[in-house]
Amino acid sequence: MTKKQFISLAGIFILGCVLMLTASLSKKHRTAVEWNGTPYNLESVNPVDAKLARSYNKMFDKLGDAGVGLAGLIVAVSIAVAFFTSQDKRKAFKIAVLDCVYFFISGCYGNGIYRILKTVAGRIRPYMYFANPSEKGIAEGDFFRSWPSGHSANVFIVFGFLLTWFAVRYADSKFKKPVLTVTCLICVATMILRLLSGNHFLTDVLSGAAVGFVFSYGISNLCYKIYGKEKEII
């Protein structure tokens, strides 16, 4: 790795960390929304979102969490399998570390952006328009952080990264289509679960998916373009 490449990657990494820090500080200093205990009026929501709005469902909420965890696990397993099936373990280890760093950087950008947007938008979650809102969401002051969907963003951060990773490392792999297909199905399922759990509107999950994919795919491609685009990088 040349000095110029290192400086470029370090700059991208630092900016990603700055985005995460900004997101954290903005959330911390954001004025909390006061709720008087009365459900919000669903008629104030656009017709498309209102039609698909649901009351809170704890089981679907937990399954949505599982979807994000499963998507992240696919990245970990994919990189691990690539490492353990490689003949040159020393070289494979360096590549695996680089891939993990790029995934982390992509996650910083996707998470930083969607969290900042959540704080700025302050959109009320769907379950607040019904009689049984999430007690945890109210207690933690999370009920006014609906747009965009963080779960949708995170699963598509995974999909965007894997799409780049396979293109760069294993374009001809027989596992490429199965892994990407399963990941895509998990992404869609997670979005649906966030709707059914009453945590998000349709525009929330679509916006979250777009933010996660665009930043993950864009940043990971940029990182690999700077250093590591070819298989033989060490």
Side-chain angles (χ1 to χ4, degrees), residues 46 48-49 123 147-149 195 200-208:
N46 71 76
V48 175
D49 280 340
R123 190 182 195 188
W147 182 88
S149 166
L195 289 172
H200 291 291
F201 293 106
L202 178 62
T203 51
D204 297 339
V205 296
L206 293 177
S207 299

Side-chain angles (χ1 to χ4, degrees), residues 71-86 89 91-104 158 161-162 164-166 169-170 175 179 224:
L73 183 61
I74 290 178
V75 174
V77 171
S78 297
I79 294 177
V81 169
F83 167 72
F84 285 112
T85 56
S86 176
K89 290 295 187 294
K91 178 179 178 180
F93 177 76
K94 293 179 180 179
I95 293 176
V97 170
L98 191 66
D99 291 337
C100 289
V101 170
Y102 289 171
F103 177 58
F104 175 78
V158 168
F161 173 79
L162 285 175
T164 304
W165 184 73
F166 271 109
R169 301 281 189 229
Y170 309 101
F175 297 111
V179 171
Y224 281 114

Side-chain angles (χ1 to χ4, degrees), residues 201-220:
F201 293 106
L202 178 62
T203 51
D204 297 339
V205 296
L206 293 177
S207 299
V211 169
F213 179 78
V214 168
F215 281 93
S216 177
Y217 184 75
I219 294 300
S220 58

Side-chain angles (χ1 to χ4, degrees), residues 116-134:
I116 291 173
L117 291 175
K118 269 183 179 293
T119 300
V120 173
R123 190 182 195 188
I124 303 299
R125 292 185 184 274
Y127 59 62
M128 296 301 293
Y129 294 86
F130 297 89
N132 61 331
S134 167

Side-chain angles (χ1 to χ4, degrees), residues 53-73:
R54 296 290 182 273
S55 59
Y56 182 68
N57 185 297
K58 187 175 182 179
M59 180 183 72
F60 288 143
D61 191 2
K62 296 298 182 182
L63 288 174
D65 292 342
V68 175
L70 186 57
L73 183 61

